[in-house]
Amino acid sequence: MYSTTRLLKNLILKVALNVPIDNLFDYKIPSNNSIQPKQGQRIRVPFGKQEKIGFIHGIGSQTKVPASKLKPALKIIDDEPLVNNELLDLISWVANYYHYPIGEVYATAVPLYLRQEKTPKIDAMPTESFQCESHKKLTEEQEQGFKKLLSFFNQRQIVLLDGVTGSGKTELYLQSVDRNLKKNQQVLLLVPEIGLTPQIFERFQKRFGNTVSVVHSGNTYKQRAEIWLKAKQGDVCVVIGTRSAVFTPFKNLGMIIVDEEHDPSFKQQSGLCYSGRNVAIIRAKQSKIPILLGSATPSFESLMNAKKGKYKKITLKQRVFATPLPQTNIIDLRVHSQEQGLTKFLLKAIKKHIENDNQVLLYLNRRGFSPATVCSGCGYIEECPRCDTSMVLHKRNNRLVCHHCNHNKPWEKICTECGSPSSPLGEGTEQIELALKKEFPRASIVRMDRDTVNSKKQRTRLLDQAKSGTGQILLGTQMLTKGHDFPNLSMVAIVNADQGMFGSDFRSSERFAQTFVQVSGRAGRRKTVGEVFLQTYNPKNPLLNKIISQGYNAFFSEAVLDRKVPQWPPYSHLALLHAQSTQKNSVFDFLNTVRKKGDAINLGNTMLLGPVPSPIEKKAGKFRGQLLLLNTNRKELHRVLDKLCWTIKNTKKTSKVKWSLDVDPIDLS
Ligand code: ADP
Ligand code: ZN
Ligand code: ZN
């Protein structure tokens, strides 16, 4: 007895704390402690003059902290680990791969409520029985796909389910989930955005009843913690959520599904820049469970992995309700003039479809009235004083608003440079809505963008109008295009195809193709054949014609080749080092120093490019610059990143520069 106590006394607890320091912190076990220390338990510790709550990440007997400075922890909070071993391993991997402080990774993984010294009481599983909908009889193609799916799962392969919209991918998810549930295994389903969740949640709940839980932004902190704990105890069978749900602990996880795996919103764009999809793949590997990635427009990375045989691809080509894919018409803006963004040709088509009692959807990924205002005297385009971007005109409140930093001011209709009259330039959804109202005064128009939707309630109300068919013309940004099934929709219009197709990022055309396919897939899902219209100044563009005439996969085969010579992903792996400061010089001094240090370490085949100013150089008053690291070999890239990060962290900073690392960036701006 005496000896074990003494042993315990000498233990060093390695604690992860939510502070921006890339270290574990060593503590002795608390005096008067009666709890056996285990990895994953919460612990309260002294930290400077404060107290903090962290997690026991490791337990050892060695420390570099001198005995005089080594403090005892205050209290081990949990009898049993809050973070189970599986999640602990995942957290370690994430901290390592994204070069991010481990304590902050815990803060992403564990709900806020549980990071305090609180634990909600969990009710036992509700026992009320539920009349569940039975499975649909699979079509021939689905049946074939399902058989393959199960055999790939048995071989522990990563499966990419590449199926056109309406081909019944979700039905295959449901039926494979059923097999897991029958084996008493849990399932995690990741979806890109909360807007998609209600629909997929309903379908899962109809099939499996109240054993399905959804994590969404409408949950209170406490509810989130409850779902998290229930999953850990095995009291919910299916968890549906967005990217952070990848950190849900499970008692017995049997499968992960990532729906719309290509969607950029799986990537967190600030702080810990992790990819929910990629972390899910690692999780499946660590836990030795199957993972299914589904999309009608898979990312180039995933298609390439399938091509190389790293993933197994299953293709569904037919729609369940054998409606053919819609016809696409290109409207050449060089020939057809537009007024307020709409050509006569397009207006005529809209009229025809709504007169037939069908619905029409117009897609434009720009909110506001005009993306810019221009001076008639000197040509000055009104800019945000804090960013390198134009101010967007919103007529609703007659203000010019910066969409990057939210700086705004009244619209005076005068140029700030020379005082001449200034006028709107280009169209946003707000203007298109007004133009449509003028043209179709009796039609009911539903506009969905971030200006009309700022609560869940509003979103539900507008979506209900759209789905029930009371809304005849649906108009919106990305928000409207994803995942929704509008039964009466027979026509889709892409108001400005050039805007997406010719962006500066090497992924612009991929993103455009995905949006195009997703949005045109909304037309004519049931009775009628749909029509798609696309307004462009570049009707002859070969890639555009490729997607339209031969579809997404043919487009991939051709578009991906453009990335081969410059070695963009999927032919390489990237990491982007960002730096920002109020002083432009400081940014470049810092990046040049890093560059020198980088050149001094053995870079091997890793290319170190830059420093260059970021595509949007000034944002919210900060100057921004970047260094890009690129290697065809991921391991090699990470070997360099390890060294480089270590060097930066151990260099005394002379000026106020904030830096961050984005591993596998999806946006270089
Ligand atoms: P996807 O996820 O590929 O877009 P879904 O699974 O949503 O496709 O299927 C499209 C529609 O077809 C849905 O309304 C779904 O309920 C229905 N459906 C799917 N599979 C079948 C089937 N085997 N029999 C009948 N209806 C089906
Ligand atoms: Zn002017
Ligand atoms: Zn701004």
Side-chain angles (χ1 to χ4, degrees):
M1 193 58 205
Y2 174 68
S3 62
T4 47
T5 330
R6 227 182 61 177
L7 268 176
L8 267 178
K9 273 212 165 114
N10 291 331
L11 288 182
I12 306 293
L13 305 177
K14 312 267 171 191
V15 177
L17 293 174
N18 186 11
V19 291
I21 301 172
D22 203 354
N23 271 330
L24 291 167
F25 296 87
D26 291 356
Y27 291 92
K28 290 193 284 195
I29 60 164
S31 32
N32 306 324
N33 174 61
S34 57
I35 299 175
Q36 168 81 31
K38 291 176 186 161
Q39 285 178 288
Q41 284 164 331
R42 285 176 297 180
I43 187 166
R44 184 147 45 87
V45 295
F47 189 76
K49 288 195 177 114
Q50 305 168 322
E51 291 183 4
K52 279 192 179 293
I53 296 187
F55 294 85
I56 302 178
H57 187 71
I59 301 168
S61 53
Q62 311 272 324
T63 179
K64 289 191 183 122
V65 182
S68 62
K69 288 206 166 160
L70 191 67
K71 291 185 191 159
L74 298 169
K75 187 184 170 199
I76 297 178
I77 297 164
D78 304 302
D79 291 332
E80 289 304 318
L82 182 76
V83 172
N84 63 18
N85 280 334
E86 195 210 353
L87 182 55
L88 200 112
D89 288 346
L90 191 67
I91 289 172
S92 303
W93 183 89
V94 167
N96 195 27
Y97 183 81
Y98 291 102
H99 300 270
Y100 209 70
I102 186 133
E104 295 189 301
V105 179
Y106 270 94
T108 302
V110 181
L112 182 66
Y113 191 88
L114 294 169
R115 280 184 276 128
Q116 300 150 4
E117 208 170 323
K118 296 194 257 188
T119 312
K121 256 209 151 55
I122 305 293
D123 305 329
M125 220 193 359
T127 46
E128 52 184 296
S129 70
F130 205 96
Q131 192 59 47
C132 294
E133 181 190 87
S134 56
H135 292 307
K136 301 214 157 75
K137 188 179 176 312
L138 295 180
T139 62
E140 184 64 33
E141 193 187 37
Q142 281 175 318
E143 190 68 53
Q144 294 300 326
F146 196 52
K147 276 200 190 118
K148 280 197 209 161
L149 186 89
L150 297 179
S151 85
F152 290 148
F153 277 178
N154 280 335
Q155 303 158 26
R156 295 229 184 100
Q157 304 275 6
I158 301 171
V159 179
L160 177 63
L161 180 58
D162 176 2
V164 297
T165 12
S167 62
K169 293 185 292 298
T170 313
E171 185 61 36
L172 291 194
Y173 299 165
L174 290 163
Q175 300 205 12
S176 47
V177 167
D178 194 41
R179 295 178 67 96
N180 288 97
L181 301 189
K182 289 204 169 105
K183 288 188 273 182
N184 278 324
Q185 290 173 334
Q186 296 165 289
V187 175
L188 171 65
L189 169 64
L190 297 179
V191 295
E193 266 165 297
I194 238 57
L196 284 172
T197 323
Q199 191 162 348
I200 206 154
F201 176 54
E202 274 163 35
R203 283 179 74 179
F204 270 71
Q205 207 176 32
K206 269 192 193 145
R207 209 61 68 87
F208 304 118
N210 51 10
T211 65
V212 181
S213 272
V214 62
V215 197
H216 56 76
S217 54
N219 290 136
T220 62
Y221 290 132
K222 195 168 165 205
Q223 284 168 335
R224 259 184 214 217
E226 282 167 1
I227 297 174
W228 202 87
L229 288 174
K230 278 184 184 171
K232 184 182 166 219
Q233 294 171 15
D235 281 346
V236 301
C237 299
V238 182
V239 171
I240 303 176
T242 50
R243 60 174 181 255
S244 64
V246 76
F247 296 111
T248 313
F250 287 92
K251 190 175 179 194
N252 185 21
L253 185 61
M255 173 173 63
I256 306 177
I257 302 172
V258 183
D259 190 30
E260 309 287 357
E261 67 85 28
H262 66 279
D263 199 293
S265 58
F266 281 120
K267 184 86 186 330
Q268 179 143 309
Q269 294 290 22
S270 59
L272 172 58
C273 294
Y274 69 102
S275 152
R277 176 199 61 199
N278 295 354
V279 173
I281 292 170
I282 293 301
R283 179 165 189 174
K285 199 167 141 192
Q286 287 184 338
S287 311
K288 301 192 174 64
I289 54 166
I291 179 160
L292 176 58
L293 311 174
S295 176
T297 52
S299 61
F300 280 21
E301 278 88 348
S302 294
L303 284 173
M304 187 60 103
N305 279 327
K307 215 171 144 184
K308 287 194 209 150
K310 281 171 76 181
Y311 298 174
K312 294 290 170 199
K313 190 165 89 159
I314 297 171
T315 311
L316 299 179
K317 292 203 168 96
Q318 292 154 20
R319 291 176 140 193
V320 175
F321 299 103
T323 40
L325 283 165
Q327 278 292 321
T328 302
N329 310 280
I330 295 183
I331 303 177
D332 185 349
L333 290 175
R334 298 168 311 175
V335 178
H336 297 271
S337 62
Q338 48 168 327
E339 204 175 308
Q340 294 201 285
L342 304 169
T343 56
K344 287 248 149 52
F345 196 87
L346 188 64
L347 289 171
K348 233 166 100 185
I350 297 174
K351 185 157 183 273
K352 186 186 85 188
H353 282 264
I354 57 176
E355 277 176 357
N356 286 335
D357 274 338
N358 284 319
Q359 287 176 298
V360 172
L361 186 155
L362 280 85
Y363 166 76
L364 179 67
N365 207 25
R366 255 182 197 162
R367 60 193 174 89
F369 186 84
S370 278
T373 55
V374 63
C375 168
S376 59
C378 70
Y380 175 70
I381 290 179
E382 207 65 42
E383 267 192 22
C384 172
R386 310 178 65 218
C387 309
D388 282 337
T389 50
S390 61
M391 299 285 277
V392 178
L393 173 61
H394 287 254
K395 278 233 174 137
R396 174 181 48 124
N397 50 9
N398 259 312
R399 293 186 86 79
L400 293 171
V401 182
C402 170
H403 282 188
H404 289 281
C405 72
N406 215 21
H407 173 80
N408 60 83
K409 60 181 186 184
W411 186 43
E412 315 277 14
K413 302 183 188 175
I414 328 179
C415 171
T416 44
E417 293 284 296
C418 77
S420 308
S422 115
S423 54
L425 180 68
E427 300 82 23
T429 45
E430 190 186 11
Q431 181 167 178
I432 302 286
E433 183 186 16
L434 292 172
L436 288 168
K437 273 190 177 146
K438 214 162 59 190
E439 193 69 30
F440 305 107
R442 279 192 304 276
S444 77
I445 302 173
V446 176
R447 182 180 122 213
M448 281 185 78
D449 56 34
R450 267 202 290 147
D451 297 320
T452 61
V453 176
N454 41 40
S455 67
K456 201 181 156 203
K457 221 163 132 193
Q458 265 175 333
R459 179 196 295 269
T460 314
R461 188 172 57 84
L462 290 177
L463 269 181
D464 282 348
Q465 284 176 21
K467 281 185 195 159
S468 65
T470 41
Q472 293 170 284
I473 304 179
L474 320 176
L475 162 68
T477 53
Q478 286 284 345
M479 189 183 276
L480 187 61
T481 62
K482 292 181 182 174
H484 308 294
D485 195 356
F486 305 117
N488 288 323
L489 194 73
S490 61
M491 171 184 158
V492 164
I494 292 163
V495 177
N496 183 345
D498 303 327
Q499 184 201 325
M501 190 76 188
F502 305 108
S504 57
D505 197 285
F506 70 89
R507 282 193 181 88
S508 298
S509 66
E510 175 184 347
R511 294 262 179 274
F512 174 78
Q514 288 162 346
T515 306
F516 170 76
V517 173
Q518 299 279 348
V519 77
S520 49
R522 308 280 146 235
R525 290 192 81 169
R526 291 289 152 79
K527 306 166 287 214
T528 39
V529 182
E531 270 193 299
V532 176
F533 293 85
L534 188 147
Q535 301 192 123
T536 175
Y537 281 103
N538 300 277
K540 297 246 150 65
N541 179 271
L543 283 179
L544 183 62
N545 283 283
K546 197 90 192 175
I547 331 167
I548 293 174
S549 59
Q550 295 176 43
Y552 184 80
N553 277 283
F555 164 80
F556 160 75
S557 300
E558 192 151 313
V560 76
L561 296 177
D562 290 345
R563 303 194 195 167
K564 201 164 183 170
V565 174
Q567 292 206 333
W568 289 124
Y571 295 100
S572 68
H573 303 281
L574 303 180
L576 198 58
L577 185 86
H578 292 279
Q580 62 171 48
S581 163
T582 48
Q583 303 296 318
K584 191 169 172 174
N585 287 346
S586 315
V587 172
F588 282 88
D589 287 349
F590 171 79
L591 289 174
N592 279 316
T593 313
V594 176
R595 161 100 222 202
K596 274 198 204 107
K597 290 194 191 287
D599 289 334
I601 59 180
N602 176 13
L603 285 173
N605 289 325
T606 302
M607 285 198 271
L608 182 55
L609 307 166
V612 293
S614 305
I616 300 173
E617 188 177 1
K618 202 169 110 195
K619 221 182 204 177
K622 300 266 171 58
F623 289 92
R624 307 156 73 240
Q626 58 193 31
L627 278 173
L628 185 67
L629 292 102
L630 184 154
N631 198 322
T632 51
N633 181 308
R634 181 174 255 150
K635 266 214 180 95
E636 272 293 298
L637 175 67
H638 280 263
R639 185 186 62 79
V640 171
L641 287 180
D642 283 337
K643 281 196 191 161
L644 201 60
C645 286
W646 189 89
T647 321
I648 300 172
K649 281 167 197 162
N650 289 285
T651 309
K652 257 220 154 66
K653 267 199 294 189
T654 45
S655 54
K656 281 212 163 119
V657 175
K658 255 180 85 178
W659 69 276
S660 61
L661 184 70
D662 187 351
V663 178
D664 306 327
I666 58 158
D667 178 359
L668 304 187
S669 69

